[in-house]
Amino acid sequence: MFQGLTFDPVELPPAAEALRREVREFLRGALAELPPEQRAESWTGFNPEFSRKIGAQGWIGMVWPKRYGGQERSSLERYVVLEECLAAGAPVSAHWVADRQSGPLLLRYGTEAQRTAILPRIARGECYFCIGMSEPDSGSDLASIRTKAVATDGGFIVNGTKVWTSHAHHCDYMILFCRTGEPGADRHGGVSQLLIDLQQPGIKVRPIINLAGDHHFNEVVFQDHFVPEGNVIGALGDGWRQLMNELAYERSGPERFLSSFVLVTELVRKIGPHPSEREAIVLGRLIAHLNTLRGLSLSVAGMLQAGRMPDVEAAVVKDVGTLCEQEVPEIARSLVPCEPDPASPDPFVVSLARVMSHAPSFSLRGGTREILRNLIARGLGLR
Amino acid sequence: MTAAENLLEAAAKRLFATHVTRALREQAENGVWPAALWSALEEAGLAQPALPETAGGAGGDLVDEATALIAFGRAAAPVPLPETMLAGWLLAAAGLPVPQGPLSLAPVRKEDRLTLVRRNGGWRLAGRMTRIPWAGAVTGLAGLAETAPGTYAVAWIDREAYQAAPGRNMAGEPRDTIDFADIVLPDNAVAMVALTADDLYRRGALMRATAMAGALAQVLDLTVRYAGERSQFGRPIGKFQAVQQQLAILAGQAAVASRAALGAYEILARGEDAGFAIAAAKARVGEAAGVAASIAHQVHGAIGFTHEHELHYSTRRLWSWRDEFGGESHWQAWIGRRAATLGADSLWPLLTGTLDG
């Protein structure tokens, strides 16, 4: 029976607020020269130099144990670092996936050898991860994947194709989601997560250019690629359950409502100190949405910190959050008449063009809107 | 939520479930005062949960008040509970005694202005007050009146002292008009207060937003339950993805509303400036109310459009409450002007409560 969704209150500890000032000060210096069109890329901006800088501050993997290069800080402190980076338009993409998903996955299910070899490098901002999930014939229906790892002497031979793999061409490792056995009745059995060293032979990375003309996506083809036994993450055949545990982290973070925030800031600048009644109402509505979304997202961060698994609540954050992110360019152009131009010298116009051309992806990446709503409906007891 | 708050929540839910029947709501809409419900609320300490015991309250905190308001909104209870709390807050802030019984307050609209001037050792009260909740049914009103431009006093106005011309909102809750033309109040019924009309309006907005969050939770419950019970094409309509997707949106709106309202209460309870959070909550919850009511009625189909079905006790309240103490556009404009005045580089500090840092 439906018990209702829970969004517990959370109060940021004083340490987190002190850290916020430190992060803000750091970003002011580190991003001083970053042009607006790059800020508008939000967390898709890939910049190893910046990642190493932020790693040197101790702000990657900051909740992990010190012996793995972490700082043993709370996930609410980490939340503050993330939201400050996103609000400022910092190019965090290089380390984002490793910090959010791959590192925590290795910490939870990885072997000691995997952890000691990789986690400290992630924390230094030197080691980047991509996620191999979707395939040409498997998107939302993830259980239908066909990429297969077949056991061989000392490891596995992998064959298959992954698509929409962001930044695979820049990354060191991939967490590969692949079939290692028969599916079983619920279709969720027989899949595993393997740690793939992208420098090894038998892997071809081909660019897929997105509609904005950017090369973020790739197609990654595995052809008799050998994966050593020691690169299995967690238990063989337990990949589905392991993956489901990542999703609450992947779906509830501040990146699910702040992808367009740089444009909101430029919109406020454009409107200036004396808004018309209409401008004030439209802008105020957007800010009310953002404020509420932050409350929801923080609440999920607090529940994760408390050891809960709020996967349905996380889906709500992403569903409601991405709707708001996608509305931002529509609202911006309704208030400021202009033609969006990705080469414009005007920070507002260029941000508008960037955000507009990236907005369709907001409700696709990390689980489509329809899949999330199915998950929420299941939480309501309807499925 | 602490164990004590859970107890309060459970007690409030039980109390409303016992008393608030269809018959009670119907009688209340026809002008019958639900005396037994009100006595039960007072006995349970739910009428003034946040006032200290010395002021006649239950000695709890603002989170208790929010908890009681959520339960009230969920129950669609036909009593002036938020108004009683709001009047108690005003009277206590001015150091005046807080009477027992249901209370209300004036003014509740931006356009209405109450004034007090000295006369014969007492105070002359003046002002035409519109849409006053439950004015005819309460023990009396707490009035927030100007004694000079920008200077306010709270006045206790006994029910005996005024005539209330009856009116109603969409939910059938009394919203009356009172013409204070020549009423003289005794000196001990008036006390100066360090509050303004804006403070009262904002507090009223927070209470409406919080009760709406409760009503939205009820609308979600009713709709999910109905979708599981109603069968068409050989299966419950809740098994159809088209319906499930709508219910998922509804669940999101209910979640947004409750976190927005409670979040504002939490800031207020910490003694911080909650002005922005309250404005954002009333604007956002009001928007959620419209979306949620629309989905709930669509999923319920024709039966939900009948007087017979209970859905309307919640949706008519949502349609009323979202426009009381400022509708969405009022608070959106307030936020927009504030953000514009602060400037682009203060937008993020505004959202994170770090404007000074």
Side-chain angles (χ1 to χ4, degrees):
Chain A
M1 181 54 203
F2 166 51
Q3 292 299 312
L5 303 175
T6 315
F7 287 90
D8 288 345
V10 62
E11 189 180 352
L12 287 173
E17 293 299 352
L19 176 63
R20 182 191 302 285
R21 283 191 289 278
E22 213 182 305
V23 176
R24 229 173 248 185
E25 190 56 41
F26 166 81
L27 291 173
R28 234 191 305 274
L31 304 179
E33 306 297 322
L34 193 71
E37 69 271 18
Q38 285 186 29
R39 289 182 190 245
E41 285 194 37
S42 187
W43 52 288
T44 59
F46 197 99
N47 185 329
E49 189 196 346
F50 177 78
S51 289
R52 279 192 292 273
K53 272 191 201 165
I54 209 152
Q57 294 290 318
W59 295 337
I60 301 176
M62 58 192 286
V63 303
W64 306 344
K66 287 189 176 161
R67 67 179 185 282
Y68 301 127
Q71 307 289 327
E72 302 184 2
R73 304 189 75 152
S74 77
S75 59
L76 292 175
E77 287 172 284
R78 174 174 174 267
Y79 189 97
V80 164
V81 172
L82 299 188
E83 67 171 356
E84 287 296 325
C85 283
L86 294 168
V92 292
S93 179
H95 65 270
W96 194 260
V97 168
D99 177 65
R100 179 181 72 187
Q101 255 167 298
S102 313
L105 177 77
L106 292 173
L107 202 56
R108 211 170 312 130
Y109 300 112
T111 63
E112 187 58 21
Q114 290 167 352
R115 293 176 189 167
T116 46
I118 292 172
L119 294 179
R121 290 172 56 212
I122 294 178
R124 287 197 299 270
E126 301 171 356
C127 177
Y128 313 131
F129 273 72
C130 58
I131 307 277
M133 290 213 279
S134 291
E135 297 183 2
D137 295 323
S138 303
S140 290
D141 183 11
L142 192 61
S144 71
I145 53 158
R146 291 202 295 248
T147 296
K148 209 167 187 174
V150 178
T152 182
D153 224 12
F156 300 86
I157 298 290
V158 177
N159 279 287
T161 302
K162 292 291 174 182
V163 284
W164 321 130
T165 315
S166 293
H167 299 300
H169 57 305
H170 294 310
C171 285
D172 305 275
Y173 292 99
M174 171 194 279
I175 303 288
L176 175 70
F177 191 70
C178 65
R179 193 150 284 297
T180 49
E182 288 311 308
D186 67 352
R187 304 174 72 225
H188 297 161
V191 281
S192 304
Q193 288 177 301
L194 304 182
L195 177 65
I196 302 294
D197 181 344
L198 291 167
Q199 311 331 310
Q200 295 303 311
I203 302 174
K204 278 204 192 88
V205 178
R206 298 190 190 121
I208 302 173
I209 305 302
N210 69 23
L211 68 84
D214 303 322
H215 175 198
H216 294 166
F217 286 151
N218 296 278
E219 178 189 61
V220 183
V221 180
F222 294 87
Q223 212 165 28
D224 294 330
H225 170 73
F226 175 74
V227 181
E229 218 162 40
N231 282 20
V232 175
I233 301 169
L236 203 63
D238 208 16
W240 190 271
R241 190 183 59 84
Q242 290 176 195
L243 180 71
M244 291 305 121
N245 285 341
E246 283 174 50
L247 294 180
Y249 291 88
E250 186 185 342
R251 289 174 172 164
S252 64
E255 73 269 32
R256 299 308 178 183
F257 66 97
L258 289 175
S259 304
S260 311
F261 189 75
V262 168
L263 175 57
V264 183
T265 306
E266 292 309 319
L267 176 63
V268 174
R269 209 183 307 285
K270 202 76 171 173
I271 287 173
H274 306 292
S276 69
E277 185 71 2
R278 174 166 172 266
E279 287 169 334
I281 287 172
V282 174
L283 183 62
R285 173 177 172 272
L286 177 56
I287 295 171
H289 275 248
L290 289 169
N291 193 56
T292 310
L293 283 163
R294 181 170 179 266
L296 281 184
S297 168
L298 258 175
S299 166
V300 175
M303 292 192 282
L304 287 168
Q305 164 86 6
R308 309 248 300 272
M309 194 45 69
D311 51 344
V312 179
E313 286 80 0
V316 169
V317 172
K318 186 174 180 301
D319 181 31
V320 185
T322 53
L323 271 177
C324 177
E325 292 183 324
Q326 286 178 328
E327 216 186 343
V328 170
E330 301 305 305
I331 289 171
R333 64 179 283 279
S334 81
L335 292 181
V336 183
C338 71
E339 293 176 31
D341 177 358
S344 167
D346 183 323
F348 171 83
V349 176
V350 74
S351 302
L352 176 64
R354 295 298 307 186
V355 173
M356 194 180 293
S357 57
H358 283 89
S361 71
F362 298 169
S363 54
L364 302 174
R365 58 189 184 189
T368 66
R369 170 171 301 139
E370 291 70 22
I371 288 292
L372 295 172
R373 288 181 180 171
N374 283 350
L375 202 145
I376 298 166
R378 183 170 294 125
L380 296 175
L382 294 163
R383 292 172 74 88
Chain B
M1 190 172 269
T2 66
E5 285 153 17
N6 269 324
L7 278 178
L8 183 79
E9 188 183 3
K13 261 190 179 171
R14 241 190 343 266
L15 188 155
F16 284 122
T18 308
H19 285 88
V20 183
T21 59
R22 180 184 171 78
L24 182 98
R25 288 173 179 147
E26 284 302 309
Q27 286 162 11
E29 288 196 33
N30 290 309
V32 181
W33 171 249
L37 167 61
W38 188 261
S39 308
L41 284 168
E42 285 198 334
E43 274 163 35
L46 288 165
Q48 297 293 2
L51 283 188
E53 290 174 28
T54 49
D61 58 19
L62 284 168
V63 179
D64 293 340
E65 180 176 299
T67 304
L69 285 173
I70 294 256
F72 158 81
R74 195 184 248 282
V79 281
L81 187 65
E83 291 80 2
T84 300
M85 292 176 186
L86 205 45
W89 171 71
L90 268 183
L91 292 165
L96 290 171
V98 180
Q100 288 283 300
L103 312 174
S104 190
L105 69 147
V108 295
R109 300 185 72 217
K110 274 267 174 215
E111 298 83 345
D112 296 346
R113 189 162 159 266
L114 203 53
T115 58
L116 279 167
V117 285
R118 274 279 177 203
R119 193 205 267 175
N120 303 336
W123 294 89
R124 181 180 177 274
L125 182 72
R128 184 181 150 80
M129 300 291 106
T130 58
R131 310 294 296 173
I132 301 301
W134 300 87
V138 294
T139 310
L141 307 176
L144 183 67
E146 271 183 304
T147 55
T151 309
Y152 288 86
V154 175
W156 168 250
I157 313 159
D158 198 272
R159 176 67 189 88
E160 305 290 308
Y162 61 85
Q163 300 273 322
R168 299 202 167 262
N169 67 11
M170 296 267 287
E173 296 178 305
R175 295 292 185 261
D176 306 333
T177 302
I178 310 169
D179 222 332
F180 293 113
D182 203 18
I183 291 177
V184 178
L185 299 171
D187 208 29
N188 64 4
V190 174
M192 302 308 289
V193 72
L195 291 170
T196 67
D198 282 349
D199 295 325
L200 175 60
Y201 202 63
R202 193 175 294 123
R203 191 73 171 229
L206 175 60
M207 288 186 162
R208 283 290 184 268
T210 310
M212 275 197 276
L216 281 163
Q218 172 73 359
V219 161
L220 175 63
D221 277 2
L222 289 174
T223 311
V224 169
R225 198 171 73 201
Y226 182 77
E229 290 168 357
R230 169 74 170 169
S231 270
Q232 287 291 280
F233 306 102
R235 50 183 169 151
I237 59 169
K239 292 288 170 202
F240 292 95
Q241 281 207 4
V243 176
Q244 289 175 355
Q245 298 269 314
Q246 291 301 305
L247 289 171
I249 298 173
L250 173 53
Q253 296 300 309
V256 159
S258 114
R259 189 89 294 278
L262 293 176
Y265 255 111
E266 287 150 16
I267 293 173
L268 200 63
R270 291 202 291 269
E272 296 165 18
D273 178 4
F276 168 64
I278 293 172
K282 186 64 164 66
R284 187 62 187 87
V285 177
E287 195 178 326
V291 176
S294 153
I295 292 174
H297 277 291
Q298 187 65 28
V299 172
H300 273 86
I303 194 74
F305 188 59
T306 62
H307 188 74
E308 181 71 24
H309 196 277
E310 65 179 311
L311 179 62
H312 66 82
Y313 294 111
S314 300
T315 51
R316 285 188 293 135
R317 276 173 171 76
L318 288 172
W319 292 326
S320 299
W321 293 346
R322 63 180 174 174
D323 282 320
E324 295 177 351
F325 292 102
E328 290 94 283
S329 59
H330 171 82
W331 292 109
Q332 286 161 353
W334 185 91
I335 294 167
R337 282 191 299 268
R338 178 148 170 74
T341 307
L342 289 166
D345 296 324
S346 292
L347 176 61
W348 182 243
L350 173 67
L351 284 162
T352 47
T354 52
L355 277 170
D356 47 357

